[in-house]
Amino acid sequence: MKVCVLGAGVAGMTSAYFLAEAGHDVTVVERNAGVGLETSYANGGQLSYSYVAPLAGPGVLPKVPPWLLRRDSPLRFSPRLDYYQWRWCLQFVLACSARQSELTTARLLRLSFYSRALMHAMVETEALDFDYVRNGKLVFYSDPDSFRGAVAAMDYQRSLGCEQQALDAGECIALEPALAGIAREIAGGIYTPSEDAGDCYRFCVSLEQVLQARPRPVGFQLNTRITGFVRARGRIAAVRSDRGDLEADCFVVTLGAQSVFLLRDIGIDAPIYPLKGYSLTLPIRAESCAPRVSITDHKRKVVYARLGDELRVAGMADITNYRADLDPARIAVLVRQVEATFPGCADFSLSKPWCGLRPATPKGTPVLGATPYANLLLNVGHGALGFTLACGCGKIMADMASGRPPGISLDGFTL
Ligand SMILES: Cc1cc2nc3c(=O)[nH]c(=O)nc-3n(C[C@H](O)[C@H](O)[C@H](O)COP(=O)(O)OP(=O)(O)OC[C@H]3O[C@@H](n4cnc5c(N)ncnc54)[C@H](O)[C@@H]3O)c2cc1C
């Protein structure tokens, strides 16, 4: 079957991989000159299979007002005259219950464990070069109450199959000596040995090479902007692009945060709004000062991943608009936070700042699978977990396009 994958971010690339594995004739259509150049470019690099709890949790709402008043806050909200922005915020508030948060966590763990198994199989079988490491993840807490809450959540997650350990401050430093400089700020940490990390952009590029080297290569139609869909008798006959119409038997939408516009034109209302985040990529200057284990600073909501000889730092969520324009003030906050946490670790004069738009749904679950159009599948809305969930979602696309039931239940992920 001829399948057209719309978008060459990490969701599109893994969809193309599993579709090609299933024997389909695949073409990926992308507006940029290369793959992985938008939100999948310089994200946090975390393959965070056990840390999937949604942003919408019971403890979040009381924190929002103080966050909105602080200039170095992890969250920023710029209100717009945009119905979709306000609707997203309202749905987010409604999702901030303990019950919904636990339900979402359980659903996302189902998908993330599935993704982990597929990613591990993929790195075993394919020659992929993306600074992939299985180095575990330590989330450290500065506030004793937050740490106690995390230990309670760990017990719930353990019941769902996560293997995690609670560490006191001394054990955190023993595990990651680069944290020694802030030992007095650490109330405790949760360590998950089974977490991985890697460079998402290089993963996309490596996968492109693998897909082009296949006996039946995957086609990449780059520099092609999709402008709409041609509908016929309850199906999609073609996608419209600035290079003409592209026909296929099946279409998989992986257009990230931009998906909403094209989908709305054909009556599909995906509940996605961009949460803008920022990252820094820093050449490591002093080995002993930079972490080897992936780190999350829970208070500041900043993640750190060692990618080869660089440190990737990412964080923040700005609910502003659909533009991925870099705000120097936000980058300056990130720089100060890295300097405070891992002093002397990197050469900041060579730092590469970046920002991207997390395609976020209010509850934190991606939207996968069937649409009102028989041959149009969705793989969108992965929020802060797109790299983590990419393999599972890609395989689900391949199974559904092939008329097979997906490998896991899609309960909670459908439109
Ligand atoms: C700061 C930050 C840190 C993050 N950290 C992590 C992390 O540590 N771990 C993790 O798992 N996830 C992380 N994420 C989330 C992750 O990066 C995203 O969920 C993921 O990249 C989304 O992938 P995607 O393929 O859906 O979207 P994208 O990567 O945005 O891909 C969509 C593609 O569609 C193309 N496109 C859009 N419109 C059109 C059109 N009209 N015509 C043609 N092409 C079009 C775009 O050019 C783009 O290439 C982070 C995100 C941010 C912003």
Side-chain angles (χ1 to χ4, degrees), residues 6-51:
L6 314 181
V10 70
M13 295 306 293
T14 50
S15 298
Y17 174 81
F18 288 105
L19 284 160
E21 283 281 290
H24 298 295
D25 177 7
V26 185
T27 301
V28 181
V29 187
E30 166 59 48
R31 64 183 172 187
N32 289 310
V35 304
L37 289 172
E38 302 239 348
T39 309
S40 305
Y41 184 64
N43 65 22
Q46 319 267 324
L47 291 160
S48 190
Y49 302 111
S50 296
Y51 281 97

Side-chain angles (χ1 to χ4, degrees), residues 6-12 29-32 34-48 200 224-227 254-259 262 275-279 303 314-316 354-359 379-389:
L6 314 181
V10 70
V29 187
E30 166 59 48
R31 64 183 172 187
N32 289 310
V35 304
L37 289 172
E38 302 239 348
T39 309
S40 305
Y41 184 64
N43 65 22
Q46 319 267 324
L47 291 160
S48 190
C200 187
T224 305
R225 179 177 293 274
I226 299 155
T227 54
T254 63
L255 296 167
Q258 310 295 330
S259 303
L262 290 172
L275 292 191
K276 194 201 283 189
Y278 298 81
S279 78
V303 298
M316 299 176 177
W354 173 84
C355 72
L357 303 175
R358 299 180 189 90
N379 184 5
V380 294
H382 313 83
L385 292 170
F387 189 19
T388 305
L389 303 178

Side-chain angles (χ1 to χ4, degrees), residues 109-308:
L109 284 174
R110 187 196 325 140
L111 182 55
S112 69
F113 289 170
Y114 185 53
S115 299
R116 178 171 60 193
L118 291 162
M119 174 64 93
H120 286 180
M122 193 191 270
V123 294
E124 289 292 315
T125 50
E126 306 295 351
L128 297 172
D129 179 12
F130 64 108
D131 285 326
Y132 173 70
V133 279
R134 293 186 183 178
N135 57 350
K137 180 182 177 93
L138 174 68
V139 181
F140 76 84
Y141 297 81
S142 312
D143 168 37
D145 283 344
S146 301
F147 179 50
R148 273 192 289 278
V151 174
M154 187 182 82
D155 291 339
Y156 172 66
Q157 297 226 148
R158 191 180 286 134
S159 72
L160 299 170
C162 296
E163 287 171 20
Q164 299 179 308
Q165 301 153 22
L167 307 182
D168 63 23
E171 289 168 326
C172 289
I173 312 296
L175 177 73
E176 181 43 78
L179 286 169
I182 54 156
R184 269 180 299 171
E185 285 178 34
I186 299 178
I190 306 287
Y191 177 53
T192 312
S194 55
E195 304 285 72
D196 306 341
D199 186 317
C200 187
Y201 169 66
R202 288 185 53 205
F203 175 75
C204 291
V205 171
S206 247
L207 211 47
E208 181 190 20
Q209 287 160 0
V210 164
L211 293 175
Q212 286 186 328
R214 294 176 76 95
R216 268 171 70 197
V218 167
F220 285 88
Q221 179 148 351
L222 303 174
N223 297 308
T224 305
R225 179 177 293 274
I226 299 155
T227 54
F229 295 94
V230 181
R231 291 175 278 182
R233 293 183 297 279
R235 295 175 65 84
I236 301 297
V239 285
R240 290 244 139 88
S241 85
D242 57 3
R243 296 190 158 201
D245 289 359
L246 302 158
E247 291 180 2
D249 304 304
C250 176
F251 298 86
V252 179
V253 179
T254 63
L255 296 167
Q258 310 295 330
S259 303
V260 288
F261 301 113
L262 290 172
L263 291 175
R264 267 178 218 153
D265 288 348
I266 54 169
I268 297 175
D269 186 5
I272 296 170
Y273 197 80
L275 292 191
K276 194 201 283 189
Y278 298 81
S279 78
L280 292 172
T281 306
L282 299 155
I284 290 169
R285 189 168 60 190
E287 274 291 322
S288 59
C289 301
R292 289 214 159 266
V293 175
S294 292
I295 299 285
T296 298
D297 177 342
H298 180 265
K299 183 175 153 203
R300 298 185 173 110
K301 310 278 182 236
V302 174
V303 298
Y304 297 83
R306 173 80 78 111
L307 301 176

